Amino acid sequence: MFIHDFDGLVIKSEETKMTVVEENDDLVTIRVSSGMVWHDLVMTCLKNNWGGIENLSLIPGTVGAAPIQNIGAYGIEVKDVIVRVDGMMLNTGEEQSIKAADCKFSYRESIFKHELKEFFFISSVTLRLTKKKHKINSNYDALKARLAQLNIISPTIHDVSRTVIEIRQSKLPDPVMIGNAGSFFKNPVITINQLEKLKKDWPTIPFYPFENQLVKIPAGWLIETCGWKGKRVGLVGVHEHQALVIVNYSQASGKEIFQLSEQILNDVEEKFELKLMREVNMID
Ligand SMILES: Cc1cc2nc3c(=O)[nH]c(=O)nc-3n(C[C@H](O)[C@H](O)[C@H](O)COP(=O)(O)OP(=O)(O)OC[C@H]3O[C@@H](n4cnc5c(N)ncnc54)[C@H](O)[C@@H]3O)c2cc1C
């Protein structure tokens, strides 16, 4: 299991075009080819003073991959700005344009990870962004704290992007320097009742309000509390600054990474009776 190269067809989008499809004084709608590097798009938007994706600065990967897991960071998700996703059904060759409302977006989820998994090639993503009166989202704890430290009281989209980049660079390992897939696990979403039960044993457990009376528990805190932060097992380990990230120090196989993730899952389940879910795709 997980010890051989992927045996199948890989299609990689190389197109990097960006077209303005609609514009008025307040809003701009752009269609972006799936091969564009996500962060390059964020930087292009900032250069044009278009707001909406500044909190998603420096997320590795392409525009085409962004809707797959509805990338999110620092209080926003890409679903907040997506208008439609265009592409082709790989089994029939039929072109389809899927409206955001039909993409079944939720936390790290979309139709592309379920019904359309491996069937739909995304050729472009259409986003609607603000040209003025930007909706600044600086409420995420780490972002708010750093902006306050920097004495930035009314941040611009540029301040938000710069600060997000600074925080990410200080906390997350650069995949070019050390192998990693970013957050390996999703933050578990639980009911208020479950939270109240957990608080009895763990009064300082952090949580964030989620939708429908549910709360999100930071998986990094759970993993750190189990003593995994900075721990190394052979060629793999848990990153020293961010317990959500599993790192490959050298030439570790998929099997070693999977086994470490299993140990972490088991420890968290034993301690908190919570089941962590992997955010990454596991390919056998
Ligand atoms: C250091 C680090 C930090 C990260 N931080 C975050 C974060 O803050 N928030 C977050 O949400 N994610 C984060 N990630 C995860 C990652 O950046 C995203 O999942 C990103 O969208 C992956 O892009 P990719 O182009 O590398 O896609 P891949 O990993 O190559 O593919 C991901 C999935 O999308 C599918 N896919 C890709 N392109 C297409 C296409 N054109 N059509 C159809 N299917 C396609 C693939 O088949 C695969 O199933 C992080 C990763 C790293 C390494």
Side-chain angles (χ1 to χ4, degrees), residues 13 34 59-62 64-66 68-73 108 117 120-123 168 172-173 175 180-183 279 281:
S13 173
S34 51
I59 296 185
T62 56
I68 304 283
Q69 72 156 11
N70 176 27
I71 57 168
R108 300 294 189 269
K117 189 175 163 72
F120 193 69
F121 170 74
I122 296 174
S123 54
R168 291 185 73 96
L172 289 167
N180 77 91
S183 304
E279 181 176 318
N281 281 330

Side-chain angles (χ1 to χ4, degrees), residues 269-284:
E269 188 162 12
E270 205 169 290
K271 214 177 191 80
F272 299 101
E273 290 180 23
L274 286 180
K275 225 175 171 48
L276 285 186
M277 306 288 280
R278 293 181 183 87
E279 181 176 318
V280 299
N281 281 330
M282 307 299 300
I283 301 171
D284 193 359

Side-chain angles (χ1 to χ4, degrees), residues 247-261:
V247 288
N248 185 341
Y249 287 108
S250 176
Q251 299 287 319
S253 65
K255 189 178 176 184
E256 286 162 278
I257 294 166
F258 178 75
Q259 283 171 341
L260 174 64
S261 72

Side-chain angles (χ1 to χ4, degrees), residues 204-257:
T204 59
I205 189 167
F207 63 92
Y208 302 96
F210 192 59
E211 52 209 31
N212 304 328
Q213 306 265 315
L214 298 168
V215 289
K216 232 194 244 180
I217 309 291
W221 183 87
L222 300 169
I223 296 166
E224 190 174 341
T225 307
C226 288
W228 276 106
K229 194 173 179 182
K231 223 176 187 175
R232 187 171 170 153
V233 182
L235 297 177
V236 291
V238 175
H239 191 246
E240 55 183 332
H241 299 311
Q242 175 50 276
L244 261 187
V245 179
I246 290 185
V247 288
N248 185 341
Y249 287 108
S250 176
Q251 299 287 319
S253 65
K255 189 178 176 184
E256 286 162 278
I257 294 166

